Amino acid sequence: MELLERDADTARLAAVFGAAKAGRGAMVLVAGEAGIGKTTFVRRFVETQTEALTLIGHCDPLFTPAPLGPLYDIARAAQGPLLAILDSGANRAALFSNILAYLQASARPAVIVVEDIHWADEATLDWIKYLARRLDSLRALLVATYRDDEPAPPLKQLLGELAGLPAVSRILLQGLSTAAVATLAKGKAIDPAALHRQTSGNPFFVTEVLADKSGGIPSTVRDAVLARAMKLSPDGRALLETAAAIGARVNPELLEAVLPAADAALRECIALGILRADGGIAFRHELARTAILGSVDPLRRRSLFRAVLVAAAKKERADLAQLAHYAEEAADANAVKRFALPAAKAASALGAHREAAAQYRRVLRFTDDLPTIERAEILEAFAHECTLIDDLAASIEAYREAAQIGANLNEPERQASALAALAWSLVRNGQNPAAEEASAQAVSLLERQPPSRALASAYRIQAHLRMLDRDRDAAVAIGTKAIDIARGFEDRETVAAAQLVVGAAMLVSGDDAGRAVLDDCLAAAGETGRDDLVALARLNIGSSYGELYRFAEAERELAAGIAFATERDLDHAAHYMRAWLAIVHMYQGRWVEAADLAAAVVDTSSAATVSRIMALAALGRMRTRRGDPGATAALDEALDLAASTATLQRLAPVRAARAEAAWLAGDPAKTIQEAKATLPLAIAHRHRWHIGEFALWLHLAGQDAGSIDECAEPFARQIAGDWQGAAASWRALGCPYEEARALSAGDAGAQLKALKIFNELGAVPAATMLRRAMREAGITSVPRGRRSSTRQDPSGLTRRELAVLDCIADGLSNKSIAAKLFIAEKTVDHHVSSILTKLGAANRTVAAKLARERRSGEADSAK
Amino acid sequence: MTRYLVERTFPDGLGLPINQQGADAAATIVAKNAEHGVTWVHSYVTPDKKKTFCIYDGPTPEAIRKVATRNGLPVDSIREVRVLDPYFYM
């Protein structure tokens, strides 16, 4: 059949592939409602690309699909090394990078198609994201099709993340026009306008109606399919129903096993056009299969699935997820358990945690008469998967039930291990007090038994809670116990995790010896392949330096950590480190970068609560300091979220930002209220930097700040009236805004200096406040506000990028630029690509030309 | 979308002539704005052309600042505003 009204879309796809062949790999999302013709459109395009390596994978419409199903399709069809890669049992990271290497090594440009990703499992979605982020290294076009009506949350999240990538574009397929419908209906006794109205030009619906020779127009696509199927003989109908139960793609051997000697019936279905037989038997469209299966009465449906299950279970290399699906439809509890449990483990091993959780949930639903200890085990496995997909509510509930079973059966170890894990889910959900309780209960249960691995784990989690609460001594003492016991059991992962806690607790309280412990943790985590732990350690090192106002070190560690986490798609760690880097840049006076980073994290719906709190604190403070709107909204939300954690590390930055906002708004009463709210907590944890900042706000708002012995040095100096000393300390720490704030308390000369710094930063509210104070003090020559004449670079290039651009204009290579500017060559690469984007230059030659033009332009205007 | 009033100062006067060159400059600004989801609604300019009050629709103040930088436009202040229509009450 002719493909109607798809010329423009086909041309777009061809143009993108053209660019991809030249080395600019790209992804195109093909979206549209069911039956709009996504598959046909993509298939036609692929057929014309005879010189390309074409790899096509399908996602199956199962409640819980097999992990990486489309990749297996692709591998089987390609018959090359891909299948070996998939069957190698390598972990997911290795798998993804091997497939990437395979594509990079391909002599031919590739078209990779993943069909129906609205049904994709989590691992497949992760693979698509992984590939989409690395397209620039490929001569490939990645095409993914999906139904755009109400995408499920995992797909929605992926689409959101893909939307930010320049290499990704979208084609939305539209329904056929009345003219096209008329072309199709030519020679039939049917009114094309009425047909178009009833079907909205949906090509599948239109062809279903046209296939029915009765001439009427059914009201839904389902009715159209069923009307066509009415014409089948009883044998044909039985075969069609069996095929519908088997699935979207009908395995011929399975069909033969369930319904032997049904060739005539099969031919009848194909002749009628409901099934097609080009390259395997399949329904012409999933809409047809759904309609047929939905018309089968429940009892017959169950017996159909029983027959399919029996036949499928005998097959070699049967797909576990498929079997679990048949078992559930057949309402066969034993079979559900037999197939869903291993399916869950297999899915988990491939990182398809959403599917693993769904398989466990299936087992739990079907087998509430399980021996209780087995149920507790499955509950724990289920809860663990839930933590990995951030379904913390379900995880908390399941761990609680598992702990309860342990208590009922008088199995303290089981109860305690569930409680310890529960504590961690509670912390991540921001319920710290409940977490403390669960963790303490776990430890007290296990301490009555001989030392065990479970005790080491429980100590580790308790130490982590103490560390998060900045309770150094307890964290180090309990963490050390965890290390000692775990060493006895040669449990290296728990040792590394406990080292992280001990090291971070030391470092964050200013004990540099913690760094060595963290380095041990990094080494151990790296050796055991625990990338997540490595990222967590880097995150803790970076944020610890940040809390200590050691911003140069914090920046270096966070940048390295972000690169590590991004490379491995460890998004949660990356989000948290970006939020912290925003805070660091704010103190460094790099406000554009700070606000953009913070806004980007706040804009990421998948960011965890803790990341969101830190990003909101940074964003709210940036808006406050620049006098921008939206500061109150950001800081109110931050306080709401931080209050539920009740921990110093979340509350302190938020309360400090709110105190500053109140101060700049000229509201000393509110400043005092905000500063006092968390000061006792900061004192309880002897956190000198937080105490110092709160004390300074009290002091500035006209309150007695109390003893300054507990305050960090720059704050203590300013409160004591030593503004020169305070300014010098801030300058040494590289914090221009804080330096200017200290200078504001000085003499007229210092105040002029402060005003200059505020103006350069764009700190409008602080500058306005200072000018008013100076005028009130009788200083007559107060300069006006910033006249905004500070010429910003018109293309938005940063100072560093301008320096790099200068070198490009001089014809230097990246290597020479790196040497000249004392930065890594990789950093230069990064700057260059950013410069090209901002200038809209295709390559560095064009950029160099633009730069030389700018130079001569500047020279002219200087004349 | 939030509505913002952006105040700008041009010490040497705003150079947006009413001719093709001005039209091109405005079109460039509009296109760069669109990349960040920002819409320039309109502006009020003082007679000496040294100060402008610009009405914008945009997602965040950060987006307003970003496009200002990209377009080489100064920012004195950004305020969130709502429309008040006096004739609504008549």
Side-chain angles (χ1 to χ4, degrees), chain A residues 500-626:
Chain A
L500 189 159
V501 174
V502 171
M506 290 164 76
L507 196 59
V508 80
S509 57
D511 180 352
D512 273 359
R515 184 59 207 258
V517 183
L518 283 163
D519 284 340
D520 284 350
C521 159
L522 280 172
E527 278 167 29
T528 49
R530 287 283 306 272
D531 284 351
D532 58 328
L533 208 54
V534 173
L536 194 59
R538 296 213 170 273
L539 174 160
N540 273 285
I541 297 172
S543 59
S544 297
Y545 283 133
E547 267 194 33
L548 296 170
Y549 285 60
R550 288 160 67 167
F551 296 118
E553 286 154 298
E555 184 193 353
R556 197 178 59 226
E557 299 292 342
L558 289 170
I562 290 167
F564 179 89
T566 308
E567 180 92 346
R568 288 157 186 79
D569 292 330
L570 296 166
D571 291 354
H572 288 307
H575 293 152
Y576 189 79
M577 288 190 274
R578 286 205 181 93
W580 247 109
L581 189 58
I583 296 176
V584 168
H585 284 334
M586 177 191 78
Y587 281 107
Q588 291 172 322
R590 289 157 65 176
W591 287 5
V592 175
E593 289 156 275
D596 287 353
L597 262 174
V601 176
V602 168
D603 206 29
T604 305
S605 57
S606 59
T609 304
V610 286
S611 305
R612 190 167 178 84
I613 295 172
M614 302 317 266
L616 282 168
L619 187 65
R621 208 157 194 181
M622 279 319 314
R623 287 179 178 169
T624 301
R625 289 185 173 187
R626 296 210 280 200

Side-chain angles (χ1 to χ4, degrees), chain A residues 596 623 626 628-629 788 794, chain B residues 61-62 65-66 70 74 76 78:
Chain A
D596 287 353
R623 287 179 178 169
R626 296 210 280 200
D628 280 352
S788 312
Chain B
E62 290 72 35
R65 283 194 184 274
K66 185 170 268 192
R70 294 206 58 189
D76 299 348
I78 303 175

